[in-house]
Amino acid sequence: ADALGCGVGLVCAGAGAFGAGMCGPAELRRAFGSDDLNVAIPDDGEVTVTLDTFGLASVHTDVVIDLHVSHPRTEDLQVVLTNSSGTEVVVADGLPGREIYLTGVALAGFPGDEDANGRWTLTLRDTVAGESGTLYGFSLELTSRWD
């Protein structure tokens, strides 16, 4: 059982949107993406990577990201995730260091009434000339519910 005591075949969802969270069928949570990418982030440019999500209920309750980016100056980067309804959430903007390495980070900012299924887009912008970087991994774990 998880923190809510949901039990076998169930997952906790919506803790941020619904306060204490709720239990739902485990089949309404799916992972999409890859940790085996090698996508160049152009110097003073941008690159987008898309994930097509499917097999979920109608709306998402939880959006969890895994992300691995290498760049000599990660403070030059802005990373934005756009859901299939067009809502954008800033994942990282001006973080110091040489890598952005997020594992299992729940993202806030997506309303709980937009489509879970469809095309999600990650945009990486290098906002300062002088260095380029690489996206090595990007995945999402979405939990959904019927609306």
Side-chain angles (χ1 to χ4, degrees), residues 30-139:
R30 296 196 65 191
F32 306 89
S34 174
D35 61 359
D36 190 25
L37 301 174
N38 192 14
V39 177
I41 304 167
D43 181 24
D44 199 20
E46 78 175 36
V47 65
T48 61
V49 176
T50 60
L51 291 178
D52 290 323
T53 62
F54 55 90
L56 296 163
S58 56
V59 297
H60 50 76
T61 57
D62 298 312
V63 178
V64 176
I65 190 168
D66 289 349
L67 181 67
H68 182 198
V69 175
S70 178
H71 191 284
R73 293 189 320 251
T74 56
E75 59 268 18
D76 295 354
L77 298 179
Q78 181 186 55
V79 182
V80 176
L81 180 63
T82 306
N83 71 7
S84 58
S85 297
T87 299
E88 295 182 349
V89 168
V90 175
V91 176
D93 192 3
L95 293 177
R98 299 181 61 78
E99 280 190 312
I100 299 172
Y101 195 76
L102 306 176
T103 303
V105 174
L107 298 177
F110 291 110
D113 62 348
E114 294 182 334
D115 291 333
N117 297 296
R119 179 156 291 171
W120 291 64
T121 303
L122 184 75
T123 304
L124 299 103
R125 293 182 184 98
D126 186 331
T127 62
V128 178
E131 304 282 356
S132 60
T134 305
L135 169 66
Y136 288 111
F138 164 51
S139 63

Side-chain angles (χ1 to χ4, degrees), residues 8-24:
V8 176
L10 299 173
V11 294
C12 177
F18 300 104
M22 61 185 180
C23 297

